[in-house]
Amino acid sequence: MAHRLPDFFSANPDIDLDLITTQNFLSLEPGMHPDIFITKMPRVREGYASLPLFHDRIYPVCTPAYLDAHPEIRSLEGLHNGVLLNLSPHGRSQIAEHVDWGIWLAIHHLDIEARPKTGAHYFNANDYNLLIQMVLTGQGVALGFDHLVRPLIDKGLMTRPVEQELVLEETRHYFAYREDKAQDSALGRFRSWFLTQAGQAGT
């Protein structure tokens, strides 16, 4: 949302937002009842209505300069043997399915365990923002979640070395909001804005 919020604030100067990110929103601090959840659970808790958003589209990303310097990653085989920056599941909530390089490559018939033992390194981190920063500084290739990396691709800061992708058609992201505030003007305006940004206008 970050790069889109200035437009929202310009159109809605009377609305302030308080954003909290968490890996485990099922056990929030006592007394916390957010007006909105953006989540991968169709039913987050009692008293909230949920609207379906988009499926995850996952594909490799790197910088254009990195791709120019490593043309071998334009193929799945070359990518398989390259420097891979991986999102680790450790410390994460485990609420939704986890897709890492091992799963993504297996879907495309490549075994992560078959990588050369003395070849390019395989870096693990459970912080996705860290991995994206490493990609932007030319340190390797990460799996990009389309709704997160598309603005960077559109700006030319990232590119897709291969066309293959994985679409998680069995799951979606959801916009959940408090039913007792369904008629609240501020919530309604944010909901309409967010759904438009997510390509769900009219939902």
Side-chain angles (χ1 to χ4, degrees):
M1 284 194 303
H3 72 287
R4 303 175 189 265
L5 282 174
D7 288 338
F8 175 79
F9 289 131
S10 294
N12 301 276
D14 59 317
I15 297 179
D16 294 326
L17 297 180
D18 183 3
L19 175 66
I20 299 172
T21 62
T22 177
Q23 297 288 353
N24 190 10
F25 53 81
L26 293 182
S27 57
L28 291 176
E29 296 176 17
M32 290 191 65
H33 302 284
D35 293 334
I36 294 166
F37 283 97
I38 300 168
T39 173
K40 294 195 75 173
M41 297 183 68
R43 285 294 292 175
V44 61
R45 57 178 60 181
E46 290 299 318
Y48 286 80
S50 293
L51 301 174
L53 299 173
F54 43 79
H55 303 291
D56 273 321
R57 291 176 55 215
I58 308 167
Y59 45 75
V61 290
C62 63
T63 62
Y66 189 87
L67 181 57
D68 288 343
H70 301 85
E72 68 277 4
I73 66 172
R74 293 180 184 274
S75 71
L76 285 177
E77 292 74 16
L79 188 65
H80 170 266
N81 296 330
V83 177
L84 301 180
L85 309 176
N86 187 60
L87 182 61
S88 163
H90 298 301
R92 298 172 63 81
S93 65
Q94 303 295 299
I95 290 172
E97 73 289 334
H98 181 80
V99 175
D100 60 14
W101 272 113
I103 293 171
W104 195 91
L105 288 169
I107 293 293
H108 295 96
H109 313 295
L110 291 167
D111 183 0
I112 193 70
E113 299 298 328
R115 282 167 51 89
K117 300 303 181 185
T118 57
H121 64 269
Y122 185 80
F123 177 80
N124 274 294
N126 69 346
D127 185 333
Y128 193 66
N129 289 323
L130 171 64
L131 295 180
I132 292 301
Q133 289 304 311
M134 292 178 71
V135 170
L136 290 172
T137 54
Q139 298 185 55
V141 186
L143 289 174
F145 291 76
D146 183 72
H147 62 285
L148 298 178
V149 302
R150 172 55 54 188
L152 297 171
I153 293 174
D154 291 343
K155 291 179 180 179
L157 299 175
M158 284 186 179
T159 190
R160 297 176 61 169
V162 296
E163 290 301 314
Q164 287 85 352
E165 64 182 18
L166 171 62
V167 180
L168 301 182
E169 296 182 350
E170 298 301 317
T171 60
R172 286 181 178 268
H173 292 261
Y174 293 86
F175 182 99
Y177 61 93
R178 285 174 55 168
E179 293 176 322
D180 63 350
K181 288 196 172 184
Q183 304 305 316
D184 181 82
S185 173
L187 190 151
R189 280 183 279 161
F190 183 81
R191 179 178 60 212
S192 296
W193 173 82
F194 188 93
L195 295 178
T196 297
Q197 298 299 313
Q200 307 293 319
T203 299

